[in-house]
Amino acid sequence: MIGRVLLGAAVLFLLAFLLTPTSFAWLFQPFTRNNAPAIYTQTPLWSLTLSHLALVGMAVVASTVIALVLAVLVTRPAGREFLPLARTVTAVGQTFPPVAVLALAVPIMGFGAGPTLVALFLYGLLPVFENALAGLTGQPPQVAEAARGMGLTPRQRLTQVDLPLALPVILGGMRLTAVISLGTATIGSTVAAKTLGEVIIAGLLSSNTAFVLQGGMVVGIIAVLLHEGFQTLERMAAARTGLNR
Amino acid sequence: MSDMIEIRNLTKRYDGAVAVEDVSFTVESGQIAALVGTSGSGKTTLLRMINRLVEPTSGQVLIDGEDSHSLPGYLLRRRIGYAIQGHGLFPHRTVAQNIATVPRLLGWSADQIRDRVDELLNLFQLDPDAFRDRMPHELSGGQQQRVGVARALAAKPDLLLMDEPFGALDPVIRAKAQDDLRHIQRQLGTTLILVTHDMEEAVTLGDRIAVMDKGRLVQYGPPSEILTAPATPFVRDLIGMRERPFHLLSLTPAHAIATEGEAPGAPIARDASLREALAECLWSGRSAVPVEGGGIVTLAALQAHAAPTARAAE
């Protein structure tokens, strides 16, 4: 109950701050020096937030689709031998620093949202892939036996039994990917992607702690909200299957 | 009666290790065959070869004279009911959706499916209005098991395969579930092949018992024959010397050996087993009990019936 009230308060605060950032100037004034502006106004914060979210959304959808396809393929009898390869690819995607991806991608793709999208996509593959793998392989053996015994074809077993039962775990993977991407996307502004990182970088360049704080705060609050939203979805999906998390 | 299922020289080897070796037997239409054996005896593998969840290394299964390999495995399995230990209900689907699984695969109309689901729920003494929309995890173990069997029977299969269907139930519910199954099987005329490790269950339910040991079929026959003339020491061990007379008594209904006469006390049901008659005699200290509808069963008759020599003379 208290959690819900806090979340509601966070949503209201975030909306109020994004729509009328200047009315919160008093809050950030203490963090400025030499009469520097307390609120970033070069680009409207709501516009940066929307493009930040759009970038993260696209990256999460892309990672999820590719990771799911990979996980389904390597759990089929014909694809089983590719499991170690797929694991390696997604693990490398996770360990390769996003900054390095940006540096490598800019010469090819130019400045803007493209390189950031690639970096986030690679970074987000692993959680969805590993969770989907766990969800698809960790089902009660009797259920799989019954599904075969009833005469479901392999495709029907995948779409009607395996994937619906794995849904809560897959959503868990998407939650991790979304939260990680949300934070990581800020570095996209070093290569001119429109993200909330722009505010943070402006703060760093001008030694204005207030800018850094407000950029970080908006990202942080959205991360918490995303996390809670996904967890609610996971709980609903898990309750529907009757499987305890 | 026609031969419903004919199993011919069925063999399964895994990398040279034998799971099932050259098993042949026939189950007639409408009968119950119980496959009994210890774990690792190959009984489950044998059962799963009938609906081709396991592909045999060699041998044939004929269903109504038709080779089971004449259609793809998944189509074959839609025609054969299959119920397993721990029910295997789909946890994300309601009771009605679970039962409707095979009819839906076969493309029945929504009306047909709804009627069939309600019919089966009634048959298994589950009120359709109360149970249709429940999720499996909201049911008790006994209810889950009944829904599992109802699902296996949904598309009116002529053949039903069951793998330890009552294994997860406690003894009280198990006895009731066995009774109900027997009743429903007789009512529908479904041929049933059942795997169990419990000789008592095999004797109670089976018209025929197939005893498996180390992948081989060591004896196949009616329960009385298995009990009175075990083919090998293994079969005798499986029956259990201490239980043998009681198993034997449980095969015959009271009215079959009732004789003329009068006896005091409350009567037992006509189709109560001799085992129940004996229990009643011993517990109430009577030397004979009356049978509903006339006649008595005497302790002496029971004694004679519990010995293999008496049966051989019949």
Side-chain angles (χ1 to χ4, degrees), chain A residues 140-154 156-157 160-162 164-165 239-243, chain B residues 48 51-53 74 77-78 80 82 84-93 97 101-102 104-105 135 137 151:
Chain A
Q142 306 97 313
V143 172
E145 170 80 1
R148 275 192 76 206
M150 300 280 115
L152 274 76
T153 61
Q156 287 167 335
R157 294 206 315 268
Q160 298 180 21
V161 181
D162 294 353
L165 285 181
R240 173 123 189 91
T241 64
L243 298 173
Chain B
R48 297 174 84 232
N51 64 1
R52 285 174 55 203
L53 284 173
Y74 67 94
R77 289 191 278 275
R78 290 174 190 178
I80 300 177
Y82 188 53
I84 55 177
Q85 176 168 19
H87 63 74
L89 294 177
F90 301 136
H92 60 302
R93 295 215 170 144
Q97 288 168 333
T101 304
V102 182
R104 216 167 38 87
L105 292 175
M135 302 305 286
H137 67 97
R151 179 176 68 172

Side-chain angles (χ1 to χ4, degrees), chain A residues 210-227:
Chain A
F211 285 1
V212 178
L213 267 178
Q214 58 201 256
M217 182 192 75
V218 173
V219 172
I221 293 177
I222 295 175
V224 170
L225 295 177
L226 259 184
H227 181 86

